[in-house]
Amino acid sequence: EFMPFDEKTRKREPRDPQAWLNVLFSRFWWNLYDNKAFNRFIIKRLGKRIQKITDFPQFIERLVLEDIYIGPNVPHFSGFELHSITKEGQVQVDCDIVYNGGFAIKVGIKTSIVLPATSVEVPAIAYIKVTKVRGRVRIHVSPPPCERFWVGFHKVPDIEITAETELGIASKT
């Protein structure tokens, strides 16, 4: 169930001058959170980053992002401060973010266990879910015509993640 800018949030912060931004973001989120094309785009982009990871234990050969679930819960932003803006159009903004979970990924793990006189491949899958993120971020938007932006935390955020693994189960995706 989609959880937009709800009544509780409206009552909690009735005079929040930045509430309009959360409402607008909620509207965009509503269009994207279960959009197959958007999910494929995120899988492609995040999958490339995951494939670059090479610092594994000896028995893990590689990781493959198989599926992603953006989830219905919308991040809430507050405490905006304009950090900088340039004449070229580069913008940096700081704000607080609270996200109460829903984002999940499914990662296939290619393993190879070497035993005397044989090599064994054991299929494995990891399910990773973000249940909470809270912290102060900087949003950096590059100048036009570039469409790049990045978001980074000022310090390690308060984050809760759950992870489950299944060994010996081949993925069906």
Side-chain angles (χ1 to χ4, degrees):
E1 176 184 316
F2 176 66
M3 307 283 264
F5 189 74
D6 61 13
E7 197 61 35
K8 282 193 274 185
T9 305
R10 189 182 340 254
K11 287 178 182 174
R12 186 176 63 230
E13 298 186 47
R15 293 196 175 103
D16 180 2
Q18 298 152 1
W20 67 270
L21 184 63
N22 285 298
V23 171
L24 186 62
F25 187 76
S26 294
R27 179 61 177 89
F28 287 124
W29 193 272
W30 183 70
N31 279 354
L32 296 176
Y33 90 96
D34 67 348
N35 181 293
K36 301 294 183 204
F38 181 70
N39 282 359
R40 284 191 302 271
F41 171 78
I42 296 295
I43 287 171
K44 182 178 177 183
R45 296 291 297 242
L46 192 54
K48 285 181 183 179
R49 292 188 181 264
I50 288 175
Q51 287 178 348
K52 290 180 182 178
I53 299 171
T54 59
D55 189 21
F56 299 122
Q58 210 170 19
F59 64 92
I60 295 179
E61 293 181 12
R62 67 185 160 126
L63 302 177
V64 177
L65 180 60
E66 295 184 356
D67 200 7
I68 191 168
Y69 178 67
I70 303 298
N73 295 329
V74 180
H76 179 80
F77 301 93
S78 63
F80 282 90
E81 293 180 45
L82 178 61
H83 182 267
S84 66
I85 186 168
T86 67
K87 64 182 179 178
E88 293 82 21
Q90 175 180 300
V91 178
Q92 292 187 2
V93 175
D94 294 338
C95 68
D96 298 309
I97 184 171
V98 176
Y99 177 62
N100 290 315
F103 179 81
I105 62 174
K106 177 182 174 184
V107 179
I109 305 169
K110 182 161 170 51
T111 65
S112 181
I113 301 171
V114 179
L115 300 172
T118 188
S119 178
V120 179
E121 287 188 12
V122 179
I125 299 172
Y127 300 93
I128 303 161
K129 183 176 182 180
V130 177
T131 57
K132 176 182 159 187
V133 177
R134 180 183 306 251
R136 186 129 183 104
V137 297
R138 170 150 308 149
I139 302 168
H140 173 96
V141 182
S142 297
C146 183
E147 297 175 356
R148 287 192 211 171
F149 74 95
W150 59 259
V151 177
F153 285 92
H154 285 265
K155 60 182 185 176
V156 177
D158 178 15
I159 188 166
E160 293 177 10
I161 297 174
T162 61
E164 296 178 16
T165 57
E166 294 180 358
L167 295 173
I169 306 218
S171 177
K172 293 182 174 122
T173 60

